[in-house]
Amino acid sequence: MGREKKVRALTEAERRLPGELLGRLRREARGLGRWVKVRKAGVTEEVVEKIKEGWGEGELVMVRFGVPLCRNMDRAREIVEGGVGWNDRVEMTGGLVVWSKKDALVIYRGCNYHNASVPSGISWESEEDNHVSTVKSNAIINRATITENQEESPFVAGTALEINNDTLPINETLYEREANRLLDGLGPRYTNWWWPKPLPVDGDMLPEVVPGFRPPFRRCPPHLRPKLTDDELTYLRKLARPLPTHFVLGRNSKLQGLAAAIIKVWEKCSIVKIALKYGIPNTNNEMMAWELKASAFHNCVVPHLNNLIGKDFLPGRVANLIFKREKELDSCQLQEEDARLKAFRSLHNMDNNNDTLPSASMGEACSEFQYIQTKLGDVGEYEFDPKVQIEAEKERLEKEIRKQERRLSILQMKLERSENELAKLNSSWKPGEKVADQELITEEERQTFRRIGLKMDQFLLLGRRGVYDGVIGSIHQHWKHREVVKVITMQRDYSQIIQTARLLENESGGLLVAVEKLKRGHAIIIYRGKNYSRPLKFLPENLLTKREALQQSMEMQRRGSLKFFARLTAQIISDLKDRLGNLEGRNEEMMSGTSENQK
């Protein structure tokens, strides 16, 4: 059984307009050649004015949407037909979309449309449409009344309209209702959002500075690092993908209001997603991330500005309990210090010693330190025995020598293992010998083939693997279509370049024409010969395979690194032994001087 075909939902124009009128409008819409362009900033007040100017000339206006609204034309249709657009003070067109194609929408103005600063209700050609028009007019009047009587919120300047959700019909999904419940009360929504609902909070409308704001209290659990590991970051990024976007931001600095809103979201959700606005000049997501990290949190993923909670974040209630507990512990510690000081005074008074007691106003630690200094003198003036210092330095040097010798033995063991692996690979590599009866070419032919090879765009590039069986097979494939092949190598030593050229000549059976210096690397030009015949096997058996050639290159690199560090460690051991010998000489001189003084 196949899948059931999804029933297409009727548009607003199909439900309101008669079929004949809708058909006529769609036929006229297909012939429109002028349109209003909606750019990255979205449906702004300027766009609405242009649409109304177009309605003054005709009843249809075409609107083309750019990035990002062109990615979600359903959302663009909602914005155009809705009541609010760029912000809460910009009225939308109030028209109906009668035709759409790709990134274009054609909007119908209505029958008795008249251009005004605040559009009244638009009547349509049916009784139901008259009822809808009356409802829309009443909604606009109520919105204006609410806006006039609305008090400014202490948290957000210019808040959005407060709507009683209990009186509205439930036409949202459970996902949207839960997201709206999470974002309610944080600030005005960004209604020009280009992705599906729920609408995120507009971070630019939040206050720049919040009086009395302080970063959240953080306390990492025992034996845990406050930073997130790679596995945790991967897990949180996967977890954040299906979540809705909570905030939209276009401002780089002064984000205390956004930080305060993020902390509120963290009380219910461990991840906060922030998107960047399109069309805002000079936006820098790295600067936004650092500003937010400095004010609210520790961990941030910069590319999409998805702000992740750290392991050391504590909710408000837990932080308040910790503050209260720490205050109690501080008071208990002060009481304990007072009790210890009283006990110390009583014991000192019982002592028959006539030494003066330190000042009672000082702390216990300071009093004890002064008392010890008075009785025993200054500890810093104590002179250590030179013999003890020499013995300590000698012990330290011997320990360091043992450590470096152990490191050298490990390096030598690894070097021996690498040489064994390299010997196994070299045993399977048997380069061919040069052919005695080789074809000869004249100097003119050599110069001709040289010019042809240098002008060729097709070439073979030798990498770190060097010459292996696949390179020889590729050379024969080149010779199938052309007489000359150009091989480019990035080697720097000229002797190695000549050796590579001779090896290619012997293994392929061709004639070496020239080795030329290029801007990057050297070009080895090889001619296939007049009596060339394609071999039965392109891949020679006496050379290494591609995998073996890579292993050989890695082992050679590893052997070079091990030799370098082994030589460096041996030099360190030699220097330490010299220092140890000098130290023993000083010790012997000191011992001999002491014995002479005793005599």
Side-chain angles (χ1 to χ4, degrees):
M1 295 179 61
R3 292 185 300 178
E4 295 183 1
K5 187 176 180 180
K6 186 177 180 181
V7 180
R8 188 179 69 87
L10 297 177
T11 62
E12 195 73 17
E14 291 174 347
R15 289 191 289 106
R16 292 189 177 188
L17 298 179
E20 297 179 359
L21 176 61
L22 184 60
R24 178 181 67 83
L25 293 175
R26 286 179 174 175
R27 286 192 298 271
E28 293 179 1
R30 293 186 181 94
L32 293 178
R34 299 173 59 187
W35 59 81
V36 177
K37 184 67 175 178
V38 178
R39 303 188 183 276
K40 292 182 179 180
V43 184
T44 59
E45 188 174 1
E46 182 181 359
V47 174
V48 176
E49 292 298 329
K50 289 183 179 180
I51 293 174
K52 292 180 180 179
E53 290 177 4
W55 278 346
E57 301 175 359
E59 57 184 0
L60 296 178
V61 173
M62 179 182 289
V63 181
R64 283 191 177 274
F65 292 87
V67 178
L69 279 175
C70 65
R71 300 174 180 174
N72 190 357
M73 293 303 294
D74 293 336
R75 178 59 190 156
R77 182 193 294 265
E78 291 179 4
I79 293 175
V80 171
E81 293 180 346
V84 180
W86 178 64
N87 56 31
D88 298 331
R89 295 178 294 278
V90 178
E91 293 293 338
M92 285 292 97
T93 61
L96 288 180
V97 177
V98 296
W99 185 74
S100 63
K101 184 178 180 181
K102 294 183 179 179
D103 59 345
L105 297 178
V106 177
I107 310 173
Y108 175 51
R109 68 181 183 182
C111 296
N112 58 348
Y113 168 79
H114 62 90
N115 192 0
S117 59
V118 179
S120 60
I122 301 174
S123 63
W124 312 97
E125 295 184 357
S126 67
E127 296 180 358
E128 179 184 358
D129 300 333
N130 293 330
H131 174 69
V132 173
S133 174
T134 306
V135 172
K136 182 173 289 189
S137 301
N138 295 334
I140 294 173
I141 295 172
N142 293 336
R143 186 185 298 112
T145 306
I146 294 173
T147 306
E148 292 177 359
N149 299 330
Q150 178 180 326
E151 295 182 359
E152 188 172 354
S153 173
F155 181 70
V156 180
T159 55
L161 298 176
E162 295 293 338
I163 301 175
N164 188 5
N165 294 328
D166 298 335
T167 60
L168 295 178
I170 300 177
N171 55 356
E172 298 177 342
T173 62
L174 179 61
Y175 176 81
E176 294 178 2
R177 292 201 301 270
E178 292 296 330
N180 289 328
R181 187 182 304 172
L182 178 65
L183 299 178
D184 284 343
L186 296 179
R189 301 295 184 89
Y190 183 69
T191 53
N192 223 5
W193 180 237
W194 55 89
W195 288 120
K197 292 182 179 179
L199 303 180
V201 177
D202 192 353
D204 295 339
M205 300 294 292
L206 298 177
E208 297 180 355
V209 179
V210 178
F213 173 78
R214 63 178 182 181
F217 184 78
R218 294 180 176 273
R219 178 66 61 86
C220 191
H223 309 293
L224 282 180
R225 299 177 62 186
K227 295 183 179 180
L228 298 176
T229 62
D230 294 340
D231 295 339
E232 291 172 339
L233 280 176
T234 303
Y235 170 74
L236 289 174
R237 285 168 181 165
K238 291 181 180 179
L239 191 65
R241 286 174 186 170
L243 293 180
T245 303
H246 301 100
F247 299 94
V248 181
L249 188 60
R251 191 170 59 198
N252 293 335
S253 59
K254 298 180 180 180
L255 305 176
Q256 279 194 6
L258 178 61
I262 288 174
I263 294 173
K264 289 185 178 180
V265 175
W266 275 347
E267 298 288 341
K268 301 177 182 178
C269 180
S270 61
I271 299 176
V272 174
K273 291 179 67 175
I274 303 178
L276 299 183
K277 289 184 179 179
Y278 277 89
I280 306 297
N282 301 326
T283 55
N284 190 342
N285 56 349
E286 293 185 1
M287 188 181 298
M288 296 176 187
W290 282 109
E291 183 75 17
L292 288 173
K293 286 172 69 176
S295 57
F297 42 85
H298 291 172
N299 300 294
C300 177
V301 182
V302 173
H304 300 290
L305 206 65
N306 295 335
N307 303 311
L308 309 179
I309 183 173
K311 293 184 288 187
D312 53 353
F313 175 77
L314 294 178
R317 294 182 180 179
V318 180
N320 293 333
L321 290 176
I322 291 178
F323 276 125
K324 184 178 179 181
R325 182 59 179 168
E326 286 187 348
K327 190 175 181 180
E328 293 177 357
L329 291 176
D330 291 340
S331 62
C332 292
Q333 187 176 3
L334 291 176
Q335 294 177 3
E336 184 180 353
E337 290 292 335
D338 292 339
R340 290 180 61 188
L341 186 59
K342 291 179 181 178
F344 177 75
R345 289 174 180 172
S346 61
L347 291 175
H348 188 78
N349 291 332
M350 293 173 62
D351 193 2
N352 296 325
N353 194 0
N354 295 327
D355 294 337
T356 58
L357 182 67
S359 177
S361 61
M362 297 183 180
E364 179 187 359
C366 182
S367 304
E368 292 179 354
F369 178 72
Q370 291 181 354
Y371 180 74
I372 291 172
Q373 275 194 334
T374 304
K375 298 292 291 181
L376 303 178
D378 191 3
V379 180
E381 297 178 356
Y382 181 75
E383 296 182 359
F384 293 95
D385 189 1
K387 296 181 181 179
V388 177
Q389 292 181 352
I390 292 175
E391 289 295 331
E393 183 68 16
K394 181 180 177 181
E395 184 67 24
R396 189 186 67 81
L397 289 176
E398 290 177 352
K399 183 178 179 181
E400 185 67 22
I401 289 173
R402 290 194 299 269
K403 179 180 177 181
Q404 294 296 333
E405 287 178 349
R406 181 177 178 276
R407 183 177 298 177
L408 180 60
S409 63
I410 294 174
L411 289 174
Q412 290 176 351
M413 181 179 61
K414 291 183 178 180
L415 182 60
E416 183 179 358
R417 188 186 309 163
S418 178
E419 288 179 350
N420 293 335
E421 292 291 335
L422 193 59
K424 291 180 182 179
L425 293 172
N426 291 335
S427 62
S428 59
W429 179 56
K430 298 177 181 179
E433 298 180 357
K434 186 176 181 179
V435 180
D437 187 12
Q438 193 176 17
E439 185 179 348
L440 299 177
I441 58 175
T442 62
E443 189 63 28
E444 294 179 358
E445 291 176 338
R446 186 181 297 274
Q447 293 298 328
T448 302
F449 291 138
R450 173 182 170 275
R451 287 194 297 269
I452 293 174
L454 291 176
K455 291 181 180 180
M456 287 174 56
D457 294 332
Q458 296 81 10
F459 60 89
L460 287 176
L461 182 63
L462 287 183
R464 64 176 299 174
R465 293 178 176 86
V467 180
Y468 59 96
D469 56 357
V471 175
I472 305 301
S474 300
I475 289 176
H476 287 293
Q477 290 291 346
H478 273 260
W479 282 344
K480 179 180 178 181
H481 304 283
R482 55 191 69 87
E483 294 181 330
V484 179
V485 63
K486 180 168 67 173
V487 182
I488 295 179
T489 177
M490 295 298 175
Q491 294 174 338
R492 298 181 180 180
D493 191 2
Y494 192 73
S495 61
Q496 293 182 357
I497 296 172
I498 296 298
Q499 183 180 0
T500 302
R502 295 299 180 188
L503 181 60
L504 289 173
E505 181 184 18
N506 297 337
E507 296 298 335
S508 63
L511 298 175
L512 179 61
V513 175
V515 177
E516 296 293 333
K517 179 73 172 68
L518 303 178
K519 290 183 179 179
R520 294 188 61 186
H522 289 75
I524 302 173
I525 302 172
I526 303 175
Y527 171 54
R528 70 180 183 181
K530 299 176 183 178
N531 302 325
Y532 171 74
S533 61
R534 290 169 59 84
L536 297 177
K537 292 183 179 180
F538 285 168
L539 303 180
E541 297 179 354
N542 60 332
L543 296 180
L544 299 177
T545 62
K546 186 176 182 180
R547 178 177 295 181
E548 292 174 347
L550 179 60
Q551 292 178 358
Q552 184 188 35
S553 175
M554 293 175 63
E555 289 298 334
M556 291 177 65
Q557 183 179 2
R558 183 181 293 112
R559 185 184 63 173
S561 299
L562 291 173
K563 283 185 177 180
F564 171 76
F565 286 109
R567 185 169 60 252
L568 186 63
T569 307
Q571 183 64 33
I572 293 174
I573 292 173
S574 177
D575 295 341
L576 290 175
K577 288 183 177 180
D578 292 341
R579 291 175 58 186
L580 183 60
N582 296 334
L583 198 63
E584 290 178 351
R586 287 175 53 191
N587 191 14
E588 291 178 358
E589 291 178 0
M590 188 176 296
M591 293 292 292
S592 61
T594 305
S595 60
E596 290 178 359
N597 292 333
Q598 290 178 357
K599 291 180 180 180

